[in-house]
Amino acid sequence: CLVYISIPFTSQRSNHTPSTSLINNKMQSGSGIQELMAAETRASQIVAEARMARGERMKQAKSDAKELIDAYRGERQDEFNNMVLSAGGSGGSYSAKLQTETNNDIAHMQAQFQSNAQKAVDVLLSKCCEVSLEVPTARVRSTQKMYGGK
């Protein structure tokens, strides 16, 4: 035998029914999530814009630096050219003197090569034709150890 007892539900905290307060909480949390998503979207846009601006600033800085370097290089080249001209343009005679010394050194080395070529060939042939028929003692001992003989 079963007996059912019915007890009415009363809330002492609020005058709202339980279903109304749940609906209000869900609506508030849904709008909070939307606000968070909107804030996240704005933040990602701000970060993307900052990255683009940084890239543009880096490109501009690189361009400015290249211009400064080119200007400095041009000034230094002009100074060098003026120094060469003020020295009387003797750079050409030094170059010609260096070229003749180099040619003389090359001719001297070729002459030495021609005179020593046959000597080098003779030394190489003598070393190639020398054949020693003696077996080193270390090899003999290692072979004896391997094969167990004496």
Side-chain angles (χ1 to χ4, degrees), residues 66-125:
K66 184 170 176 23
E67 289 175 11
L68 286 172
I69 290 170
D70 290 342
Y72 180 73
R73 183 175 287 143
E75 290 174 10
R76 298 298 290 179
Q77 185 66 39
D78 290 342
E79 287 178 24
F80 175 75
N81 291 340
N82 289 336
M83 284 179 32
V84 168
L85 290 176
S86 69
S90 61
S93 66
Y94 288 130
S95 171
K97 182 179 177 185
L98 182 62
Q99 185 65 38
T100 55
E101 287 178 8
T102 303
N103 289 339
N104 288 339
D105 288 343
I106 291 172
H108 178 69
M109 286 183 215
Q110 286 177 345
Q112 284 181 333
F113 173 77
Q114 293 299 326
S115 67
N116 293 326
Q118 189 57 45
K119 291 178 189 175
V121 169
D122 292 340
V123 168
L124 288 173
L125 286 175

Side-chain angles (χ1 to χ4, degrees), residues 1-147:
C1 174
L2 291 173
V3 177
Y4 289 103
I5 300 175
S6 176
I7 301 175
F9 177 76
T10 58
S11 174
Q12 296 175 355
R13 290 187 197 166
S14 139
N15 293 336
H16 298 285
T17 61
S19 61
T20 308
S21 65
L22 282 175
I23 292 172
N24 286 337
N25 284 341
K26 285 186 181 180
M27 289 179 66
Q28 288 175 352
S29 67
S31 66
I33 291 173
Q34 289 176 352
E35 288 177 14
L36 286 174
M37 290 176 65
E40 183 181 356
T41 304
R42 284 192 303 262
S44 64
Q45 288 173 348
I46 290 170
V47 168
E49 289 172 0
R51 284 183 181 152
M52 289 176 56
R54 180 178 179 261
E56 290 174 9
R57 285 194 311 267
M58 292 296 286
K59 287 179 186 176
Q60 184 62 37
K62 186 176 180 181
S63 168
D64 292 346
K66 184 170 176 23
E67 289 175 11
L68 286 172
I69 290 170
D70 290 342
Y72 180 73
R73 183 175 287 143
E75 290 174 10
R76 298 298 290 179
Q77 185 66 39
D78 290 342
E79 287 178 24
F80 175 75
N81 291 340
N82 289 336
M83 284 179 32
V84 168
L85 290 176
S86 69
S90 61
S93 66
Y94 288 130
S95 171
K97 182 179 177 185
L98 182 62
Q99 185 65 38
T100 55
E101 287 178 8
T102 303
N103 289 339
N104 288 339
D105 288 343
I106 291 172
H108 178 69
M109 286 183 215
Q110 286 177 345
Q112 284 181 333
F113 173 77
Q114 293 299 326
S115 67
N116 293 326
Q118 189 57 45
K119 291 178 189 175
V121 169
D122 292 340
V123 168
L124 288 173
L125 286 175
S126 70
K127 294 299 177 183
C128 289
C129 294
E130 285 182 15
V131 178
S132 174
L133 299 177
E134 293 182 25
V135 178
T137 57
R139 173 68 94 182
V140 171
R141 278 188 244 140
S142 68
T143 306
Q144 288 174 349
K145 285 181 184 179
M146 253 195 316
Y147 295 108

